[in-house]
Amino acid sequence: MAAQSSEYSGETAAYKMNDKILLIQVIVVLFLCINLLLITTFFTKEVFYTTMRYVLFAVTLMSDCLFLFLADILFILNFYRCTMKMWLCLAIYIISSLYMFVTPLTLTAMTLERYVAICLPLRHAELCSPRSTLHGILIIHSLSSLPCIVFLSIFFASASYSSYTQGRVCTVEIFILHRWQGHLSSAINQFYFLIMCITIVFAYVKITRVAKAASGEDKKSTWRGLRTVGLHAFQLLLCLIQLWCPFIEAAVLQINLISFINVRTFNYITFILAPRCLSPLIYGLRDEMFFHALKRLALCGLRKKH
């Protein structure tokens, strides 16, 4: 009886986890579809792809789509303990590591754009021109690649040639051959996010001062910009907590496997999915011009179906 009860409870836990996996897939597919619709909307008007804040918004959407897709594949493979060749895992890690940083760095750039628009309106056209936008995107991707380059340089110097053909469950931990590698990677990540947090706090304080001094329509516009910066700060906080998740999961794994799976699932939804799903809500639905273009595109699609 005890064995049957244990087997039944194990099957029940498995069914519950399969339900969670299914729920996550629904969330991922839903937001990928929303992001793709927003990306399509971005290309419907010239003003969108010639204005810095909309271009940066499109960069976050594309980055989030790629990151969500890769993170979801890895989550499923890790959950079912599927293995792959180290070189393939390495390729996936390079892309996901790069785009893990692109979104928060782009959010920081969008915050600076709001700061310039509200606090330095006379210099906005000069500082936020299409040329400056292109340079900004190149700088964002260059900065995003630095942590990955440092981390992989250490791995390539330490790993043996035979390890690249081995089949392993693809996690970031398999690239950490020395404990200090993990500490170095964590220190670099924390430094990046500290700089981003300082930038957002600086912009928030400056915009708050302008908002208090403004009047009429200017005041309304300024407070809207302030709320946008606040939402960016919340997104960045969730991204920052994501860096601490591996340490929490490692501690829980020592206690109980089922608890570890539950904690990893919670962390994945809260600190990986959620920050990437907030972008459409912050800019795609709150921005009047973009929302009207999105609404027009959606209505045209419905009319064609009918």
Side-chain angles (χ1 to χ4, degrees):
M1 287 293 290
Q4 288 180 349
S5 176
S6 175
E7 184 179 345
Y8 176 75
S9 62
E11 288 178 358
T12 304
Y15 281 126
K16 286 181 179 178
M17 289 310 301
N18 285 331
D19 288 342
K20 288 180 182 178
I21 291 290
L22 183 61
L23 175 62
I24 289 170
Q25 298 317 299
V26 171
I27 294 171
V28 170
V29 170
L30 175 63
F31 277 96
L32 282 176
C33 290
I34 291 172
N35 283 4
L36 290 172
L37 180 60
L38 292 171
I39 291 169
T40 305
T41 304
F42 169 76
F43 288 104
T44 59
K45 280 191 174 184
E46 186 179 352
V47 67
F48 292 148
Y49 48 86
T50 56
T51 305
M52 177 178 266
R53 72 175 184 271
Y54 294 118
V55 174
L56 292 177
F57 172 53
V59 170
T60 64
L61 291 175
M62 295 174 188
S63 169
D64 290 344
C65 282
L66 186 55
F67 184 83
L68 281 175
F69 178 71
L70 290 176
D72 189 52
I73 289 175
L74 287 178
F75 180 78
I76 294 170
L77 292 176
N78 288 345
F79 180 80
Y80 290 107
R81 310 303 293 172
C82 298
T83 61
M84 67 173 68
K85 296 296 183 183
M86 181 76 89
W87 64 266
L88 179 58
C89 180
L90 189 62
I92 294 174
Y93 170 76
I94 290 171
I95 299 171
S96 59
S97 176
L98 172 66
Y99 284 97
M100 183 181 76
F101 278 96
V102 166
T103 291
L105 283 170
T106 307
L107 290 175
T108 307
M110 292 167 81
T111 300
L112 289 174
E113 187 277 333
R114 288 294 81 200
Y115 162 73
V116 172
I118 293 168
C119 300
L120 304 169
L122 298 178
R123 299 198 62 193
H124 184 261
E126 174 194 348
L127 296 175
C128 300
S129 65
R131 185 183 180 85
S132 299
T133 304
L134 179 59
H135 290 163
I137 293 171
L138 292 174
I139 291 170
I140 285 168
H141 281 77
S142 298
L143 290 173
S144 299
S145 64
L146 285 177
C148 183
I149 290 171
V150 172
F151 188 77
L152 290 178
S153 296
I154 298 169
F155 172 75
F156 289 143
S158 306
S160 62
Y161 178 78
S162 60
S163 64
Y164 296 105
T165 57
Q166 294 175 358
R168 302 280 295 276
V169 175
C170 188
T171 62
V172 68
E173 288 79 14
I174 66 175
F175 301 112
I176 300 176
L177 304 178
H178 309 286
R179 182 174 292 182
W180 59 267
Q181 277 180 267
H183 296 319
L184 176 62
S185 177
S186 178
I188 293 172
N189 293 347
Q190 302 290 353
F191 173 74
Y192 266 58
F193 280 96
L194 177 63
I195 297 300
M196 287 186 271
C197 286
I198 290 171
T199 304
I200 286 182
V201 169
F202 167 79
Y204 191 88
V205 171
K206 290 289 186 180
I207 294 173
T208 302
R209 289 178 181 173
V210 173
K212 289 179 179 178
S215 59
E217 285 297 317
D218 288 340
K219 193 177 188 72
K220 184 179 177 181
S221 175
T222 304
W223 280 109
R224 191 185 299 119
L226 192 64
R227 286 195 296 272
T228 300
V229 173
L231 289 168
H232 287 338
F234 178 65
Q235 269 186 291
L236 201 59
L237 176 63
L238 293 178
C239 291
L240 177 60
I241 295 173
Q242 176 191 338
L243 297 176
W244 301 330
C245 291
F247 301 106
I248 298 169
E249 291 166 7
V252 174
L253 182 59
Q254 303 298 321
I255 302 170
N256 184 272
L257 180 60
I258 296 297
S259 298
F260 165 76
I261 294 172
N262 288 330
V263 168
R264 171 162 278 192
T265 304
F266 173 80
N267 288 342
Y268 177 76
I269 294 172
T270 309
F271 305 121
I272 293 180
L273 288 186
R276 270 80 192 175
C277 296
L278 283 174
S279 292
L281 302 177
I282 293 175
Y283 259 95
L285 302 181
R286 290 179 69 250
D287 186 277
E288 289 184 16
M289 186 185 297
F290 202 91
F291 178 72
H292 288 313
L294 174 64
K295 187 177 177 181
R296 194 178 301 113
L297 180 67
L299 289 175
C300 287
L302 288 173
R303 284 171 187 166
K304 285 180 181 178
K305 285 183 180 179
H306 292 295

